Amino acid sequence: MTVSYTAEVATCQRCGCFWKLLARWRASIYKIIWFDLLVFLFCFYAMALLYHQLLDKEGRLFFEEIVRYCRHHGGLIPLSFVLAFYVSIIVERWWSQYTSVPWPDPLAVYVSTLVRGLDEHGRLMRRTIMRYVCLSLTMVLTMISPGIKRRFPTYDYLIEAGMLNRNEANIIATMDEKFPGHFKYWMPLMWAASIMTRARREGRIWDDFSLKSMIDELNKFRLGCNMLIHYDTISVPLVYTQVVTLAVYTYFLAAIFGHQHIESSDNSFNSIINLYFPVFSTLEFFFFMGWLKVAETLICPFGDDDDDFDLNWAIDRNLQVSYLIVDEMHNDHPTLVKDQYWDDVFPNELPYNDESQRHAPPEASTAKLDLSKITSSHIPKQQTPTDTDELDFTNFDGEDENSYDNELRIRFASHRFNIHRSSSSISFMHMVSQHESRIQMDEEQGEEEHLVSRRTSKDDFDRLKEERERERHVRQLQNAALALDIIKEELQHPSGATSSNHPQQTSSRAFQSTPSGGESEHKTETDKEEEKPKE
């Protein structure tokens, strides 16, 4: 599990807070580099012993040439650039892998909220959905983490842990035999989606939007599992890893010879300190090799290193929290009570245990800006003259009084029908005309009282609504008059040939009227033909 030291560096004082971390051993640079450093020092002292004790004069001359060559050309290796770029890629990849690990908490909240039912069947649905989700993530982790694979090597161990049933394991095993080339971590997610669809059919999920929200969250979880598979399958290009490794080890191989103490006229090769201990060579090895070890540790954070992710804890935690959300906390909340600031609406100040911790609120960047050099001469003059009284721009009622004449008022034209006037509907239409005249008078009166009405609580929308309601009543009266005429004509000719041969004759006569609503002064061709036999 990643070693956390955040609490120890929360506050930086005096010379810094990182010094207290240098004595740690677990997950430290000393732990991952000590063996390589010992090998480097052993090789360095072995070459020094060879030069000073074992080689003859000609061998020493040849060794000195090697030392000069390695010291002059060792700096040609761009070690800093290669390592910095490589480590930046690895660190970014390391954090992306952690953020790709999906957590079932958001989906558990959706399931607990949207899948309703306090009976055993509803509870079974919610728990099974979350068990399938946790099972899917566990199957993914067994493919990418050696520690998880050792914990769940086969389906039997998942059955023992309670994340898989025997019949479900048989289905997955059968699918593995039919399609051995594909991972089956998505099968539990498909089962969970099917249960969600079944809950919608049974009415346990109220609407399709809720179902869609749950499916979308399930797809996000599946995307996280899929990204973990991608990170495990697609690594940093091997050629780049090889280049970095060869650059680091080649550089320090040259440093074993190039940093040796030799007898030469050049004082840079005669440092007596290197004869006893290569201080800066060791520090250089410590930093550059430590940089490479950081990349080796972080390139796959699902292993057994000290800074790798503790996925076994994550598996246990996910199943426990999922069951807690969808079962124990389903449709449950504390009693609603008034908070202590109910009467005050909001607190002016919150209490502190130690009042010395209370600080002044933050100020804006220009709060203490010196504005003394700005005089009234820099203030632009007003273009329009004003009265001595200061204008009040907050008088919204006054603005309404001055601008109501220019407002756009919407009126709905009434649909008027030219109805054939019969003896049964003359009085009825007279009543309609009186009603229309009253409406026109109301409209004219409404124009005069528009200003007064704006000051009341009734707004334009309410007035338009009333106008439309009056229009609707007029149309209903007109339609009723039309229906009376049609019924009367049908009663006068209950079984006539005219109505049987011409089914639309009655309606066509009913709609033929003058624009003023009087009796028709002309007749249709069909009416004239019917009157000829009577003459």
Side-chain angles (χ1 to χ4, degrees):
M1 183 177 180
T2 303
V3 177
S4 178
Y5 53 88
T6 308
E8 301 182 23
V9 297
T11 304
C12 182
Q13 297 177 353
R14 298 181 183 87
C15 297
C17 54
F18 285 168
W19 293 102
K20 64 183 72 173
L21 305 176
L22 298 181
R24 287 193 172 191
W25 174 256
R26 184 171 179 266
S28 64
I29 186 64
Y30 322 114
K31 184 177 181 180
I32 63 175
I33 206 177
W34 69 270
F35 183 78
D36 300 85
L37 182 60
L38 290 180
V39 172
F40 173 76
L41 294 176
F42 175 80
C43 295
F44 185 87
Y45 283 113
M47 293 299 103
L49 180 63
L50 178 65
Y51 172 75
H52 291 286
Q53 300 294 334
L54 301 178
L55 293 179
D56 54 6
K57 185 177 182 179
E58 294 181 357
R60 289 186 177 184
L61 293 176
F62 181 74
F63 188 87
E64 291 172 359
E65 290 296 329
I66 295 177
V67 170
R68 293 189 182 94
Y69 181 81
C70 291
R71 179 169 295 189
H72 290 158
H73 295 85
L76 297 178
I77 302 176
L79 190 59
S80 299
F81 172 76
V82 173
L83 264 177
F85 188 68
Y86 184 74
V87 172
S88 64
I89 292 177
I90 296 300
V91 171
E92 182 179 0
R93 176 186 171 90
W94 168 77
W95 182 248
S96 298
Q97 290 183 78
Y98 178 76
T99 55
S100 297
V101 177
W103 297 87
D105 302 36
L107 181 59
V109 173
Y110 272 97
V111 172
S112 178
T113 306
L114 301 178
V115 180
R116 302 181 179 273
L118 299 177
D119 56 342
E120 293 294 330
H121 187 61
R123 181 188 178 194
L124 179 61
M125 280 186 169
R126 291 190 295 270
R127 291 177 64 93
T128 305
I129 289 174
M130 297 314 302
R131 180 171 62 85
Y132 284 155
V133 169
C134 296
L135 172 63
S136 178
L137 178 59
T138 305
M139 294 175 65
V140 171
L141 296 180
T142 56
M143 294 185 289
I144 65 176
S145 174
I148 305 300
K149 185 64 176 178
R150 288 192 294 267
R151 182 182 178 183
F152 304 107
T154 60
Y155 294 143
D156 294 334
Y157 291 86
L158 291 173
I159 296 174
E160 183 181 358
M163 303 183 68
L164 189 66
N165 293 334
R166 177 61 62 182
N167 60 331
E168 298 165 351
N170 294 333
I171 295 174
I172 298 177
T174 303
M175 191 65 67
D176 287 334
E177 295 177 357
K178 292 182 179 180
F179 305 98
H182 302 283
F183 305 122
K184 306 303 185 301
Y185 70 92
W186 45 266
M187 290 185 64
L189 297 179
M190 293 301 301
W191 295 340
S194 300
I195 295 176
M196 294 177 184
T197 307
R198 179 179 177 181
R200 176 68 183 99
R201 289 196 306 267
E202 295 179 358
R204 297 182 181 273
I205 300 177
W206 281 2
D207 50 23
D208 293 334
F209 182 78
S210 300
L211 177 62
K212 180 182 180 299
S213 301
M214 295 174 61
I215 296 297
D216 291 343
E217 195 63 36
L218 187 65
N219 281 329
K220 291 180 182 179
F221 191 90
R222 183 206 58 81
L223 180 61
C225 295
N226 202 24
M227 287 301 299
L228 294 179
I229 297 295
H230 291 334
Y231 278 117
D232 182 69
T233 306
I234 308 299
S235 302
V236 177
L238 181 61
V239 291
Y240 199 9
T241 304
Q242 292 175 342
V243 167
V244 173
T245 304
L246 289 176
V248 172
Y249 282 95
T250 303
Y251 178 84
F252 287 107
L253 180 62
I256 291 175
F257 293 94
H259 295 178
Q260 290 289 339
H261 171 270
I262 60 176
E263 298 176 358
S264 174
S265 58
D266 190 353
N267 293 330
S268 60
F269 295 93
N270 296 334
S271 177
I272 193 65
I273 298 178
N274 281 352
L275 179 62
Y276 296 101
F277 185 78
V279 178
F280 284 96
S281 299
T282 303
L283 292 177
E284 193 176 33
F285 182 88
F286 195 85
F287 298 142
F288 284 119
M289 186 59 70
W291 218 352
L292 180 64
K293 292 298 181 180
V294 168
E296 291 179 358
T297 303
L298 299 183
I299 193 171
C300 181
F302 303 111
D304 298 326
D305 296 327
D306 291 336
D307 275 321
D308 288 341
F309 307 145
D310 190 1
L311 300 177
N312 281 309
W313 168 84
I315 291 174
D316 299 341
R317 179 259 174 203
N318 287 343
L319 190 62
Q320 294 169 357
V321 173
S322 298
Y323 283 164
L324 180 64
I325 293 175
V326 301
D327 196 356
E328 182 67 21
M329 300 183 64
H330 175 64
N331 284 346
D332 188 18
H333 60 81
T335 304
L336 297 179
V337 295
K338 295 181 180 180
D339 57 85
Q340 59 180 344
Y341 306 107
W342 180 267
D343 297 329
D344 299 333
V345 181
F346 63 92
N348 293 325
E349 287 185 354
L350 294 177
Y352 281 77
N353 187 25
D354 185 5
E355 287 297 328
S356 62
Q357 298 179 356
R358 189 187 299 274
H359 302 287
E363 296 182 350
S365 301
T366 59
K368 298 182 179 179
L369 184 65
D370 186 11
L371 302 177
S372 59
K373 297 181 179 180
I374 301 178
T375 61
S376 60
S377 61
H378 295 85
I379 301 176
K381 297 182 179 180
Q382 296 182 357
Q383 300 296 331
T384 58
T386 58
D387 299 334
T388 57
D389 297 335
E390 185 177 358
L391 296 179
D392 185 9
F393 293 99
T394 61
N395 189 5
F396 298 105
D397 293 335
E399 293 181 1
D400 293 339
E401 294 175 0
N402 297 330
S403 60
Y404 75 95
D405 292 333
N406 299 325
E407 288 186 352
L408 177 62
R409 299 193 67 198
I410 302 175
R411 296 183 180 178
F412 296 91
S414 59
H415 296 279
R416 305 181 184 276
F417 297 92
N418 295 326
I419 304 173
H420 177 71
R421 187 184 297 269
S422 62
S423 60
S424 61
S425 60
I426 291 177
S427 59
F428 189 80
M429 292 302 299
H430 179 67
M431 182 177 59
V432 172
S433 62
Q434 290 179 353
H435 186 72
E436 291 178 353
S437 62
R438 285 198 301 271
I439 291 175
Q440 294 178 357
M441 293 177 61
D442 293 340
E443 291 179 354
E444 294 175 357
Q445 186 179 1
E447 291 289 343
E448 298 176 356
E449 298 178 352
H450 177 65
L451 178 60
V452 179
S453 62
R454 290 186 61 86
R455 296 180 180 176
T456 61
S457 60
K458 187 180 298 183
D459 56 5
D460 292 341
F461 181 80
D462 293 333
R463 289 193 297 274
L464 290 175
K465 184 178 180 181
E466 292 179 357
E467 292 177 4
R468 294 186 63 182
E469 192 69 20
R470 290 195 294 268
E471 303 272 347
R472 187 174 65 83
H473 289 324
V474 172
R475 289 195 296 270
Q476 289 179 352
L477 294 174
Q478 294 173 351
N479 293 335
L482 177 62
L484 287 175
D485 289 341
I486 295 175
I487 293 173
K488 181 179 179 181
E489 292 190 5
E490 289 182 353
L491 293 175
Q492 291 177 356
H493 306 282
S495 60
T498 303
S499 60
S500 61
N501 296 332
H502 303 280
Q504 298 180 354
Q505 180 178 353
T506 304
S507 61
S508 63
R509 291 198 305 270
F511 279 99
Q512 292 175 357
S513 62
T514 59
S516 61
E519 294 183 0
S520 176
E521 297 179 358
H522 61 278
K523 299 181 180 180
T524 60
E525 296 295 330
T526 307
D527 295 335
K528 293 180 180 180
E529 294 177 358
E530 292 178 354
E531 292 177 356
K532 288 180 180 181
K534 297 179 180 179
E535 295 176 356

